[in-house]
Amino acid sequence: MQLEKTKRALRLPEGSEICLRGWVYRKREIGKKIFIVIRDSEGILQTVIDSGRVSEETFNEALKASIEASIEVCGRTAREPRAPGGVELRVSKVKVWGPSEDFPIKGGEGVDYLLDNRHLWIRSRKLTAVWRIRHTTLSALREYLINNGWWEVSPPILTQAAVEGGATLFKVDFFGKEAYLSQSAQFYLEALIYSLERVWSLTTSFRAERSRTRRHLYEYWHLELEEAWAEMRDSMKVAEELISYAISRVLDERLEELEFLKRDIESLERARKGNFPSITYDEAIELLRKKGVDIKWGEDLGADEERVLTTYFETPFFVTHFPKKIKSFYMKLDPQRPDVVLGFDLLAPEGYGEIIGGSQREDRYEVLLNRIKEEGLDPKEYKWYLDLRRYGSVPHSGFGLGVDRFVMWIAGLDHIRDSIPFPRFRDRLYP
RNA sequence: GCCGGGGUAGCUCAGCGGUAGAGCGCCGGGCUGUUAACCCGGUGGUCGGGGGUUCAAAUCCCCUCCCCGGCGCCA
Protein backbone atom coordinates (compact mmCIF):
# COMPACT_ATOMS: atom_id res chain seq x y z
CA MET A 1 0.00 0.00 0.00
CA GLN A 2 1.07 3.53 -0.83
CA LEU A 3 2.47 5.87 1.87
CA GLU A 4 0.55 9.14 1.66
CA LYS A 5 0.27 12.51 3.38
CA THR A 6 -2.99 13.64 5.00
CA LYS A 7 -3.57 16.55 2.64
CA ARG A 8 -3.17 14.44 -0.52
CA ALA A 9 -5.31 11.65 0.95
CA LEU A 10 -8.27 14.06 1.10
CA ARG A 11 -8.20 14.34 -2.69
CA LEU A 12 -7.66 10.67 -3.60
CA PRO A 13 -10.46 8.68 -5.24
CA GLU A 14 -12.78 6.98 -2.79
CA GLY A 15 -11.59 3.53 -1.80
CA SER A 16 -7.87 4.19 -2.30
CA GLU A 17 -5.75 1.88 -0.21
CA ILE A 18 -3.09 3.91 1.56
CA CYS A 19 -0.94 4.14 4.67
CA LEU A 20 -0.36 7.27 6.72
CA ARG A 21 2.41 8.11 9.15
CA GLY A 22 1.92 10.82 11.72
CA TRP A 23 0.98 11.69 15.27
CA VAL A 24 -2.23 11.21 17.21
CA TYR A 25 -3.90 14.61 17.22
CA ARG A 26 -7.28 13.66 18.70
CA LYS A 27 -8.61 10.35 19.93
CA ARG A 28 -12.15 9.42 20.86
CA GLU A 29 -13.15 5.96 22.06
CA ILE A 30 -16.83 5.23 21.58
CA GLY A 31 -17.77 1.75 22.57
CA LYS A 32 -16.37 -0.61 19.98
CA LYS A 33 -15.07 2.14 17.68
CA ILE A 34 -12.05 4.36 17.96
CA PHE A 35 -11.67 7.65 16.11
CA ILE A 36 -8.07 8.78 15.73
CA VAL A 37 -7.36 12.09 14.04
CA ILE A 38 -3.85 11.81 12.67
CA ARG A 39 -1.59 14.83 12.17
CA ASP A 40 1.38 15.12 9.83
CA SER A 41 3.35 18.01 8.34
CA GLU A 42 0.59 18.67 5.81
CA GLY A 43 -2.56 18.61 7.92
CA ILE A 44 -4.97 16.26 9.69
CA LEU A 45 -7.17 13.34 8.70
CA GLN A 46 -9.70 11.31 10.70
CA THR A 47 -9.24 7.57 10.84
CA VAL A 48 -11.71 5.01 12.20
CA ILE A 49 -10.86 1.71 13.80
CA ASP A 50 -13.98 -0.46 13.95
CA SER A 51 -13.69 -3.52 16.20
CA GLY A 52 -16.11 -5.35 13.91
CA ARG A 53 -13.71 -5.00 10.98
CA VAL A 54 -10.25 -5.43 12.47
CA SER A 55 -8.55 -8.14 14.48
CA GLU A 56 -8.52 -7.92 18.27
CA GLU A 57 -4.77 -7.42 18.04
CA THR A 58 -5.16 -4.39 15.76
CA PHE A 59 -7.88 -2.93 17.96
CA ASN A 60 -5.68 -3.29 21.03
CA GLU A 61 -2.79 -1.61 19.22
CA ALA A 62 -5.10 1.32 18.43
CA LEU A 63 -6.09 1.54 22.10
CA LYS A 64 -2.41 2.02 22.95
CA ALA A 65 -2.10 4.98 20.58
CA SER A 66 -2.37 7.84 23.05
CA ILE A 67 -2.32 11.55 22.18
CA GLU A 68 0.90 12.49 20.30
CA ALA A 69 2.05 8.90 19.87
CA SER A 70 3.65 8.41 16.45
CA ILE A 71 1.69 5.86 14.47
CA GLU A 72 1.25 4.31 11.09
CA VAL A 73 -2.23 3.35 9.91
CA CYS A 74 -3.29 1.63 6.72
CA GLY A 75 -6.75 1.36 5.22
CA ARG A 76 -9.19 2.55 2.63
CA THR A 77 -10.30 6.16 2.08
CA ALA A 78 -14.00 6.94 2.20
CA ARG A 79 -16.13 10.00 1.67
CA GLU A 80 -17.77 10.76 5.01
CA PRO A 81 -19.67 13.96 5.73
CA ARG A 82 -19.29 13.43 9.48
CA ALA A 83 -15.48 13.52 9.25
CA PRO A 84 -13.60 16.83 9.35
CA GLY A 85 -12.60 17.58 5.75
CA GLY A 86 -15.28 15.19 4.45
CA VAL A 87 -12.93 12.20 4.07
CA GLU A 88 -11.80 9.55 6.52
CA LEU A 89 -9.61 6.48 6.51
CA ARG A 90 -11.27 3.16 7.44
CA VAL A 91 -8.39 1.39 9.07
CA SER A 92 -7.28 -2.19 8.62
CA LYS A 93 -3.84 -2.01 10.24
CA VAL A 94 -2.31 0.06 13.04
CA LYS A 95 1.27 0.30 14.22
CA VAL A 96 2.46 2.45 17.10
CA TRP A 97 6.04 3.53 16.30
CA GLY A 98 6.65 5.62 19.40
CA PRO A 99 4.19 5.55 22.28
CA SER A 100 3.48 8.83 24.04
CA GLU A 101 3.26 9.43 27.74
CA ASP A 102 0.52 11.73 28.97
CA PHE A 103 1.12 14.78 26.74
CA PRO A 104 1.62 17.92 28.87
CA ILE A 105 -0.33 20.20 26.53
CA LYS A 106 -4.09 19.64 26.38
CA GLY A 107 -5.34 23.09 25.46
CA GLY A 108 -6.09 26.13 27.59
CA GLU A 109 -2.60 26.49 29.05
CA GLY A 110 -1.07 29.89 29.78
CA VAL A 111 1.77 31.67 28.02
CA ASP A 112 4.45 30.85 30.57
CA TYR A 113 3.63 27.16 30.66
CA LEU A 114 3.59 26.94 26.88
CA LEU A 115 6.98 28.65 26.66
CA ASP A 116 8.43 26.20 29.18
CA ASN A 117 7.10 23.45 26.93
CA ARG A 118 8.05 25.18 23.71
CA HIS A 119 9.84 22.06 22.38
CA LEU A 120 6.44 20.33 22.42
CA TRP A 121 4.22 23.31 21.62
CA ILE A 122 6.02 24.00 18.32
CA ARG A 123 4.20 20.98 16.85
CA SER A 124 0.82 22.67 17.35
CA ARG A 125 -1.20 23.38 14.23
CA LYS A 126 -1.07 27.12 14.85
CA LEU A 127 2.70 27.26 15.09
CA THR A 128 3.14 24.80 12.23
CA ALA A 129 1.17 27.20 10.05
CA VAL A 130 3.52 30.00 11.11
CA TRP A 131 6.62 27.93 10.27
CA ARG A 132 5.24 27.32 6.82
CA ILE A 133 4.53 31.02 6.29
CA ARG A 134 7.98 31.86 7.60
CA HIS A 135 9.56 29.41 5.19
CA THR A 136 7.79 30.96 2.21
CA THR A 137 8.66 34.46 3.37
CA LEU A 138 12.37 33.61 3.66
CA SER A 139 12.34 31.78 0.39
CA ALA A 140 10.71 34.75 -1.39
CA LEU A 141 13.12 37.28 0.10
CA ARG A 142 16.08 35.23 -1.07
CA GLU A 143 14.55 34.62 -4.45
CA TYR A 144 13.93 38.31 -5.08
CA LEU A 145 17.52 39.22 -4.28
CA ILE A 146 19.08 36.38 -6.23
CA ASN A 147 16.94 37.12 -9.29
CA ASN A 148 17.74 40.82 -9.20
CA GLY A 149 21.50 40.64 -9.20
CA TRP A 150 22.36 40.80 -5.51
CA TRP A 151 25.33 38.87 -4.15
CA GLU A 152 24.89 36.93 -0.94
CA VAL A 153 27.79 37.35 1.46
CA SER A 154 28.64 36.00 4.91
CA PRO A 155 29.64 38.62 7.47
CA PRO A 156 31.03 37.70 10.91
CA ILE A 157 28.93 37.35 14.05
CA LEU A 158 31.86 37.74 16.45
CA THR A 159 32.96 41.37 16.25
CA GLN A 160 35.18 43.83 17.98
CA ALA A 161 33.18 47.04 17.97
CA ALA A 162 29.66 48.33 17.97
CA VAL A 163 27.77 49.60 14.99
CA GLU A 164 25.70 51.97 17.07
CA GLY A 165 26.73 52.67 20.64
CA GLY A 166 28.05 50.03 23.00
CA ALA A 167 25.38 49.56 25.64
CA THR A 168 23.29 47.01 23.78
CA LEU A 169 25.89 44.37 22.94
CA PHE A 170 26.25 40.85 24.24
CA LYS A 171 29.80 40.41 25.45
CA VAL A 172 31.67 37.16 24.90
CA ASP A 173 35.12 36.01 25.95
CA PHE A 174 37.43 35.86 22.93
CA PHE A 175 40.39 34.10 24.57
CA GLY A 176 40.91 36.92 27.01
CA LYS A 177 39.87 39.72 24.68
CA GLU A 178 36.43 41.23 24.74
CA ALA A 179 34.32 40.40 21.72
CA TYR A 180 30.68 41.10 20.96
CA LEU A 181 27.87 39.38 19.14
CA SER A 182 27.03 41.36 16.06
CA GLN A 183 24.02 43.63 16.18
CA SER A 184 24.26 44.47 12.48
CA ALA A 185 26.29 43.38 9.48
CA GLN A 186 26.02 46.83 7.95
CA PHE A 187 29.66 47.91 8.23
CA TYR A 188 30.87 44.62 6.77
CA LEU A 189 28.39 44.88 3.91
CA GLU A 190 29.60 48.42 3.27
CA ALA A 191 33.13 47.04 2.94
CA LEU A 192 31.97 44.35 0.54
CA ILE A 193 30.27 46.69 -1.96
CA TYR A 194 33.75 47.69 -3.14
CA SER A 195 34.08 44.21 -4.51
CA LEU A 196 30.54 43.10 -5.41
CA GLU A 197 28.60 46.40 -5.55
CA ARG A 198 25.25 44.94 -4.47
CA VAL A 199 25.43 42.63 -1.48
CA TRP A 200 23.08 41.13 1.09
CA SER A 201 23.24 38.83 4.07
CA LEU A 202 20.80 37.01 6.28
CA THR A 203 22.17 36.52 9.79
CA THR A 204 21.13 36.55 13.39
CA SER A 205 21.63 39.89 15.08
CA PHE A 206 21.80 40.40 18.81
CA ARG A 207 20.61 43.27 20.99
CA ALA A 208 21.23 43.10 24.71
CA GLU A 209 18.56 45.68 25.45
CA ARG A 210 16.15 44.52 28.13
CA SER A 211 13.10 45.21 26.03
CA ARG A 212 9.67 44.55 27.44
CA THR A 213 7.52 44.72 24.35
CA ARG A 214 5.84 42.29 22.00
CA ARG A 215 8.01 43.36 19.07
CA HIS A 216 11.55 42.69 20.35
CA LEU A 217 13.78 39.64 20.43
CA TYR A 218 17.33 39.56 21.82
CA GLU A 219 18.31 37.30 18.93
CA TYR A 220 16.56 38.05 15.67
CA TRP A 221 16.92 37.34 11.97
CA HIS A 222 18.27 40.29 10.11
CA LEU A 223 18.19 40.66 6.34
CA GLU A 224 20.55 43.44 5.37
CA LEU A 225 21.62 44.77 2.04
CA GLU A 226 23.94 47.44 0.76
CA GLU A 227 24.33 48.91 -2.72
CA ALA A 228 27.10 51.00 -4.29
CA TRP A 229 26.16 54.00 -6.42
CA ALA A 230 22.70 54.03 -4.81
CA GLU A 231 20.98 57.02 -3.25
CA MET A 232 18.33 56.83 -0.55
CA ARG A 233 15.42 56.69 -3.01
CA ASP A 234 17.04 53.77 -4.86
CA SER A 235 17.24 51.81 -1.63
CA MET A 236 13.62 52.63 -0.79
CA LYS A 237 12.59 51.27 -4.16
CA VAL A 238 14.36 48.00 -3.42
CA ALA A 239 12.67 47.83 -0.03
CA GLU A 240 9.26 48.32 -1.58
CA GLU A 241 9.81 45.68 -4.26
CA LEU A 242 11.30 43.20 -1.81
CA ILE A 243 8.43 43.53 0.67
CA SER A 244 5.65 43.45 -1.89
CA TYR A 245 7.20 40.49 -3.68
CA ALA A 246 7.45 38.45 -0.47
CA ILE A 247 3.86 39.26 0.49
CA SER A 248 2.70 38.34 -2.95
CA ARG A 249 4.40 34.95 -2.73
CA VAL A 250 2.90 34.23 0.68
CA LEU A 251 -0.58 35.14 -0.57
CA ASP A 252 -0.12 32.85 -3.56
CA GLU A 253 1.29 29.89 -1.68
CA ARG A 254 0.17 30.07 1.96
CA LEU A 255 -3.45 31.11 1.80
CA GLU A 256 -4.59 28.02 3.72
CA GLU A 257 -2.20 28.79 6.56
CA LEU A 258 -3.26 32.45 6.66
CA GLU A 259 -6.88 31.35 6.84
CA PHE A 260 -6.10 28.84 9.57
CA LEU A 261 -4.56 31.71 11.57
CA LYS A 262 -7.68 33.79 10.83
CA ARG A 263 -5.50 36.45 9.25
CA ASP A 264 -7.42 39.28 7.62
CA ILE A 265 -6.04 39.23 4.08
CA GLU A 266 -7.15 42.73 3.04
CA SER A 267 -4.13 44.55 4.33
CA LEU A 268 -1.77 42.06 2.67
CA GLU A 269 -3.62 42.32 -0.63
CA ARG A 270 -3.09 46.08 -0.60
CA ALA A 271 0.58 45.68 0.29
CA ARG A 272 1.33 43.23 -2.51
CA LYS A 273 0.66 46.01 -5.03
CA GLY A 274 3.56 48.14 -3.78
CA ASN A 275 3.30 51.93 -4.17
CA PHE A 276 4.02 52.54 -0.51
CA PRO A 277 3.45 56.18 0.42
CA SER A 278 6.37 58.20 1.71
CA ILE A 279 6.30 61.17 4.05
CA THR A 280 9.10 63.18 5.57
CA TYR A 281 9.66 63.49 9.28
CA ASP A 282 8.48 67.11 9.01
CA GLU A 283 5.23 65.99 7.42
CA ALA A 284 4.80 63.31 10.07
CA ILE A 285 5.09 65.94 12.81
CA GLU A 286 2.51 68.05 11.03
CA LEU A 287 0.07 65.13 10.68
CA LEU A 288 0.52 64.24 14.34
CA ARG A 289 -0.18 67.80 15.46
CA LYS A 290 -3.36 67.83 13.38
CA LYS A 291 -4.47 64.78 15.35
CA GLY A 292 -3.75 66.62 18.56
CA VAL A 293 -0.50 64.85 19.47
CA ASP A 294 1.80 67.04 21.51
CA ILE A 295 5.18 66.58 19.84
CA LYS A 296 8.03 68.98 19.10
CA TRP A 297 10.30 68.90 16.06
CA GLY A 298 13.40 66.95 17.00
CA GLU A 299 11.65 64.37 19.17
CA ASP A 300 11.70 60.75 18.07
CA LEU A 301 8.52 59.04 16.96
CA GLY A 302 7.43 56.65 19.70
CA ALA A 303 4.93 53.82 19.71
CA ASP A 304 1.99 56.16 20.32
CA GLU A 305 3.04 58.40 17.42
CA GLU A 306 3.50 55.42 15.12
CA ARG A 307 0.01 54.22 15.99
CA VAL A 308 -1.51 57.59 15.07
CA LEU A 309 0.42 57.77 11.78
CA THR A 310 -0.73 54.28 10.92
CA THR A 311 -4.33 55.54 10.86
CA TYR A 312 -3.45 57.67 7.81
CA PHE A 313 -2.24 54.73 5.72
CA GLU A 314 -3.55 51.30 4.83
CA THR A 315 -0.28 49.97 3.42
CA PRO A 316 3.27 50.02 4.70
CA PHE A 317 4.64 53.56 4.46
CA PHE A 318 8.00 55.29 4.58
CA VAL A 319 9.09 58.08 6.90
CA THR A 320 12.24 59.89 5.71
CA HIS A 321 14.61 62.76 6.55
CA PHE A 322 14.85 62.46 10.32
CA PRO A 323 16.64 65.02 12.48
CA LYS A 324 20.29 63.99 12.67
CA LYS A 325 20.21 64.09 16.48
CA ILE A 326 17.91 61.06 16.74
CA LYS A 327 19.71 58.94 14.13
CA SER A 328 23.08 57.23 13.80
CA PHE A 329 26.29 58.99 12.82
CA TYR A 330 26.81 56.97 9.64
CA MET A 331 23.70 58.35 7.92
CA LYS A 332 24.46 60.90 5.23
CA LEU A 333 23.46 64.46 5.99
CA ASP A 334 21.01 65.95 3.51
CA PRO A 335 23.08 68.34 1.32
CA GLN A 336 20.05 70.65 1.15
CA ARG A 337 19.42 70.61 4.90
CA PRO A 338 22.30 69.53 7.13
CA ASP A 339 20.03 69.18 10.18
CA VAL A 340 18.35 66.07 8.74
CA VAL A 341 19.71 62.77 7.46
CA LEU A 342 18.95 60.75 4.34
CA GLY A 343 17.46 57.97 6.43
CA PHE A 344 14.21 56.09 6.10
CA ASP A 345 12.01 53.73 8.08
CA LEU A 346 9.34 51.49 6.67
CA LEU A 347 6.38 51.10 9.01
CA ALA A 348 3.94 48.21 8.67
CA PRO A 349 0.25 49.02 9.13
CA GLU A 350 -2.14 47.62 11.77
CA GLY A 351 0.15 48.66 14.60
CA TYR A 352 3.04 46.37 13.66
CA GLY A 353 5.43 49.30 13.37
CA GLU A 354 8.92 49.55 12.02
CA ILE A 355 10.07 46.58 9.95
CA ILE A 356 12.84 48.28 7.96
CA GLY A 357 15.41 50.90 8.87
CA GLY A 358 17.78 52.21 6.25
CA SER A 359 19.71 55.16 4.91
CA GLN A 360 22.14 56.56 2.45
CA ARG A 361 25.52 56.34 4.18
CA GLU A 362 27.89 59.22 4.75
CA ASP A 363 30.58 58.68 2.08
CA ARG A 364 32.75 61.75 2.77
CA TYR A 365 35.74 61.02 5.00
CA GLU A 366 35.90 64.37 6.78
CA VAL A 367 32.17 64.60 7.41
CA LEU A 368 32.04 61.06 8.77
CA LEU A 369 35.03 61.68 11.02
CA ASN A 370 33.38 64.80 12.41
CA ARG A 371 30.10 62.99 12.98
CA ILE A 372 31.93 60.27 14.95
CA LYS A 373 33.59 62.93 17.11
CA GLU A 374 30.30 64.81 17.52
CA GLU A 375 28.67 61.71 18.94
CA GLY A 376 31.48 61.37 21.45
CA LEU A 377 32.75 58.18 19.83
CA ASP A 378 36.42 57.27 19.48
CA PRO A 379 37.58 57.49 15.81
CA LYS A 380 40.20 54.81 16.54
CA GLU A 381 37.40 52.30 17.05
CA TYR A 382 36.16 53.06 13.56
CA LYS A 383 39.50 53.00 11.80
CA TRP A 384 38.68 50.38 9.18
CA TYR A 385 35.22 51.81 8.64
CA LEU A 386 36.71 55.24 7.97
CA ASP A 387 39.26 53.66 5.63
CA LEU A 388 36.42 52.75 3.29
CA ARG A 389 36.09 56.50 2.61
CA ARG A 390 39.78 56.85 1.81
CA TYR A 391 40.12 54.38 -1.03
CA GLY A 392 37.59 55.06 -3.76
CA SER A 393 34.53 56.05 -1.74
CA VAL A 394 31.18 55.85 -3.53
CA PRO A 395 27.69 57.02 -2.69
CA HIS A 396 25.90 54.02 -1.26
CA SER A 397 22.75 53.07 0.60
CA GLY A 398 21.25 50.10 2.35
CA PHE A 399 18.79 48.87 4.92
CA GLY A 400 18.00 46.15 7.41
CA LEU A 401 14.80 44.16 7.58
CA GLY A 402 13.60 42.52 10.80
CA VAL A 403 12.53 39.18 9.39
CA ASP A 404 10.70 38.05 12.52
CA ARG A 405 8.73 41.26 12.69
CA PHE A 406 7.89 40.94 9.04
CA VAL A 407 6.62 37.40 9.61
CA MET A 408 4.72 38.61 12.66
CA TRP A 409 2.89 41.16 10.54
CA ILE A 410 2.22 38.80 7.61
CA ALA A 411 0.83 36.12 9.90
CA GLY A 412 -1.04 38.67 12.02
CA LEU A 413 0.55 37.42 15.25
CA ASP A 414 0.00 39.31 18.48
CA HIS A 415 3.53 38.60 19.74
CA ILE A 416 6.89 38.28 17.99
CA ARG A 417 7.76 35.20 20.06
CA ASP A 418 5.46 33.11 17.87
CA SER A 419 7.22 34.12 14.66
CA ILE A 420 10.23 31.95 15.55
CA PRO A 421 10.39 28.43 17.02
CA PHE A 422 12.67 29.10 19.96
CA PRO A 423 12.45 32.82 20.77
CA ARG A 424 15.18 34.48 22.79
CA PHE A 425 13.56 37.29 24.72
CA ARG A 426 12.97 38.46 28.28
CA ASP A 427 15.02 36.10 30.41
CA ARG A 428 14.15 33.01 28.49
CA LEU A 429 16.95 30.66 27.41
CA TYR A 430 15.11 27.34 27.81
CA PRO A 431 14.36 25.27 25.85
C1' G B 1 15.53 50.68 33.47
C1' C B 2 10.36 52.71 34.63
C1' C B 3 4.78 51.98 35.42
C1' G B 4 0.75 48.48 36.19
C1' G B 5 -1.24 43.30 36.99
C1' G B 6 -0.30 38.41 38.87
C1' G B 7 2.03 33.59 41.32
C1' U B 8 -3.36 28.53 45.23
C1' A B 9 -4.13 20.74 42.52
C1' G B 10 -0.77 18.38 36.34
C1' C B 11 -3.45 22.91 33.67
C1' U B 12 -6.93 27.40 33.97
C1' C B 13 -8.71 29.90 38.05
C1' A B 14 -12.13 31.15 42.60
C1' G B 15 -11.30 31.88 47.80
C1' C B 16 -8.66 37.42 50.53
C1' G B 17 -8.16 36.46 58.95
C1' G B 18 -11.47 30.89 61.46
C1' U B 19 -11.36 22.80 58.89
C1' A B 20 -8.02 24.45 51.12
C1' G B 21 -12.43 24.76 46.45
C1' A B 22 -14.39 24.41 41.10
C1' G B 23 -13.76 23.21 35.96
C1' C B 24 -10.53 20.62 32.88
C1' G B 25 -6.85 16.71 32.89
C1' C B 26 -5.45 11.89 34.70
C1' C B 27 -7.10 6.66 36.42
C1' G B 28 -11.32 2.92 36.42
C1' G B 29 -16.21 1.62 34.38
C1' G B 30 -20.19 2.30 30.42
C1' C B 31 -21.39 3.38 25.31
C1' U B 32 -20.55 0.85 17.45
C1' G B 33 -20.33 7.88 14.47
C1' U B 34 -17.33 10.88 17.74
C1' U B 35 -16.04 16.39 16.39
C1' A B 36 -12.26 20.02 22.70
C1' A B 37 -17.58 13.30 22.53
C1' C B 38 -20.84 12.13 26.51
C1' C B 39 -22.49 9.62 31.35
C1' C B 40 -20.98 7.40 36.34
C1' G B 41 -17.11 6.74 40.05
C1' G B 42 -12.12 7.75 41.78
C1' U B 43 -7.44 10.71 42.07
C1' G B 44 -5.40 15.26 43.34
C1' G B 45 -2.00 20.69 47.39
C1' U B 46 5.31 22.77 50.73
C1' C B 47 -1.39 28.35 48.59
C1' G B 48 6.37 30.94 44.61
C1' G B 49 10.42 31.36 48.81
C1' G B 50 11.97 33.67 53.61
C1' G B 51 10.73 36.58 57.87
C1' G B 52 7.00 39.18 60.93
C1' U B 53 1.90 40.46 63.28
C1' U B 54 -2.07 37.31 65.50
C1' C B 55 -5.24 32.60 69.82
C1' A B 56 -5.44 31.70 64.43
C1' A B 57 -2.38 33.72 57.95
C1' A B 58 -3.50 31.39 51.15
C1' U B 59 -5.77 35.91 53.30
C1' C B 60 -2.50 41.52 56.90
C1' C B 61 2.90 43.69 56.90
C1' C B 62 8.27 43.50 55.21
C1' C B 63 12.08 41.29 52.05
C1' U B 64 13.05 38.31 47.84
C1' C B 65 12.41 35.34 43.26
C1' C B 66 9.52 34.41 38.93
C1' C B 67 5.68 35.47 35.14
C1' C B 68 2.33 38.77 32.22
C1' G B 69 0.85 43.75 29.94
C1' G B 70 2.57 48.83 28.69
C1' C B 71 6.68 52.61 27.91
C1' G B 72 11.74 53.44 26.43
C1' C B 73 15.53 51.17 22.94
C1' C B 74 15.08 49.41 17.96
C1' A B 75 14.39 45.56 13.31
Side-chain angles (χ1 to χ4, degrees):
Chain A
M1 279 195 271
Q2 182 69 33
L3 254 185
E4 280 294 353
K5 291 283 166 199
T6 53
K7 197 175 168 187
R8 264 179 57 87
L10 287 170
R11 295 193 298 262
L12 289 172
E14 180 147 30
S16 299
E17 293 207 19
I18 59 162
C19 296
L20 288 172
R21 286 176 171 178
W23 291 264
V24 177
Y25 179 62
R26 292 278 137 77
K27 184 187 186 188
R28 291 177 275 271
E29 295 169 34
I30 287 92
K32 298 288 186 332
K33 271 187 181 165
I34 305 171
F35 296 88
I36 289 177
V37 178
I38 193 166
R39 173 185 64 76
D40 64 13
S41 58
E42 305 282 313
I44 59 168
L45 186 79
Q46 173 166 292
T47 69
V48 192
I49 300 94
D50 186 333
S51 65
R53 295 173 187 235
V54 299
S55 67
E56 200 183 325
E57 194 187 345
T58 300
F59 195 77
N60 287 336
E61 185 75 358
L63 282 175
K64 282 192 288 184
S66 49
I67 299 292
E68 287 303 322
S70 56
I71 62 169
E72 180 171 338
V73 294
C74 300
R76 211 180 271 276
T77 61
R79 243 176 276 288
E80 173 53 71
R82 290 169 292 188
V87 173
E88 69 182 13
L89 189 73
R90 309 235 160 105
V91 173
S92 53
K93 213 181 90 194
V94 179
K95 179 185 177 184
V96 175
W97 282 85
S100 179
E101 296 173 29
D102 183 26
F103 198 65
I105 300 167
K106 327 266 185 196
E109 290 83 2
V111 175
D112 191 34
Y113 181 86
L114 289 174
L115 284 167
D116 283 341
N117 288 284
R118 188 72 173 181
H119 51 301
L120 303 175
W121 180 231
I122 51 170
R123 57 175 84 175
S124 69
R125 292 183 76 201
K126 177 194 168 182
L127 292 183
T128 300
V130 177
W131 313 148
R132 292 166 69 99
I133 289 168
R134 187 181 174 104
H135 161 86
T136 301
T137 305
L138 283 167
S139 151
L141 292 170
R142 290 188 174 107
E143 190 180 285
Y144 171 86
L145 292 166
I146 290 165
N147 291 343
N148 286 279
W150 295 81
W151 293 92
E152 180 170 7
V153 296
S154 303
I157 300 298
L158 283 173
T159 63
Q160 195 169 35
V163 170
E164 22 200 332
T168 63
L169 291 160
F170 281 106
K171 199 186 288 182
V172 295
D173 173 35
F174 194 78
F175 304 110
K177 282 189 206 162
E178 277 184 6
Y180 303 94
L181 298 181
S182 169
Q183 60 177 192
S184 168
Q186 183 193 320
F187 287 7
Y188 296 98
L189 297 188
E190 284 189 60
L192 280 156
I193 61 166
Y194 294 83
S195 121
L196 293 165
E197 299 194 27
R198 312 172 91 193
V199 297
W200 66 282
S201 64
L202 178 59
T203 62
T204 43
S205 277
F206 301 85
R207 303 267 162 110
E209 186 76 34
R210 284 180 112 72
S211 301
R212 268 216 69 90
T213 78
R214 55 175 86 178
R215 338 207 302 265
H216 287 86
L217 295 168
Y218 294 156
E219 177 187 293
Y220 67 100
W221 285 82
H222 208 177
L223 177 72
E224 292 170 277
L225 59 79
E226 198 70 31
E227 181 176 18
W229 316 107
E231 300 187 343
M232 179 178 76
R233 293 286 166 188
D234 302 317
S235 225
M236 289 165 65
K237 192 71 199 154
V238 173
E240 179 182 287
E241 285 181 14
L242 181 68
I243 294 299
S244 52
Y245 178 75
I247 286 171
S248 184
R249 277 275 309 274
V250 172
L251 282 168
D252 289 344
E253 295 172 26
R254 297 277 81 87
L255 206 55
E256 257 180 61
E257 286 80 1
L258 291 169
E259 276 165 9
F260 182 82
L261 295 172
K262 298 191 167 66
R263 177 66 167 109
D264 171 28
I265 309 295
E266 289 304 306
S267 143
L268 300 178
E269 285 291 355
R270 281 190 295 270
R272 87 189 291 176
K273 299 190 183 95
N275 292 318
F276 302 158
S278 172
I279 58 170
T280 64
Y281 172 88
D282 290 2
E283 288 165 338
I285 296 294
E286 211 174 301
L287 287 176
L288 288 166
R289 284 198 177 140
K290 268 188 205 156
K291 286 265 178 174
V293 180
D294 180 31
I295 184 167
K296 293 186 190 65
W297 194 93
E299 288 174 354
D300 209 350
L301 306 176
D304 292 339
E305 288 76 27
E306 276 186 14
R307 219 165 286 129
V308 174
L309 284 179
T310 295
T311 63
Y312 281 98
F313 304 101
E314 292 190 310
T315 66
F317 63 97
F318 290 104
V319 182
T320 65
H321 299 87
F322 296 92
K324 71 170 185 181
K325 268 169 286 180
I326 58 173
K327 289 291 177 183
S328 296
F329 69 88
Y330 53 73
M331 294 192 182
K332 189 177 174 82
L333 300 178
D334 186 343
Q336 262 85 57
R337 267 187 70 186
D339 59 335
V340 299
V341 293
L342 297 174
F344 64 95
D345 286 349
L346 183 69
L347 307 188
E350 302 167 274
Y352 285 95
E354 188 178 345
I355 55 173
I356 281 179
S359 70
Q360 186 162 344
R361 321 302 190 190
E362 185 52 71
D363 51 273
R364 297 163 293 183
Y365 179 86
E366 288 300 332
V367 178
L368 184 61
L369 182 63
N370 285 334
R371 291 284 284 132
I372 287 172
K373 288 178 183 163
E374 248 174 59
E375 298 289 324
L377 301 167
D378 181 0
K380 268 179 269 167
E381 301 263 327
Y382 297 91
K383 202 253 172 202
W384 72 258
Y385 186 62
L386 280 160
D387 265 3
L388 302 177
R389 278 74 181 164
R390 297 172 63 204
Y391 303 101
S393 188
V394 279
H396 61 289
S397 304
F399 63 81
L401 165 70
V403 171
D404 318 275
R405 259 191 212 173
F406 187 36
V407 170
M408 180 191 175
W409 169 50
I410 293 177
L413 305 174
D414 55 19
H415 202 297
I416 199 167
R417 63 186 162 223
D418 286 336
S419 70
I420 188 167
F422 296 97
R424 294 293 177 252
F425 74 116
R426 310 280 166 87
D427 287 329
R428 205 165 278 279
L429 209 49
Y430 172 94

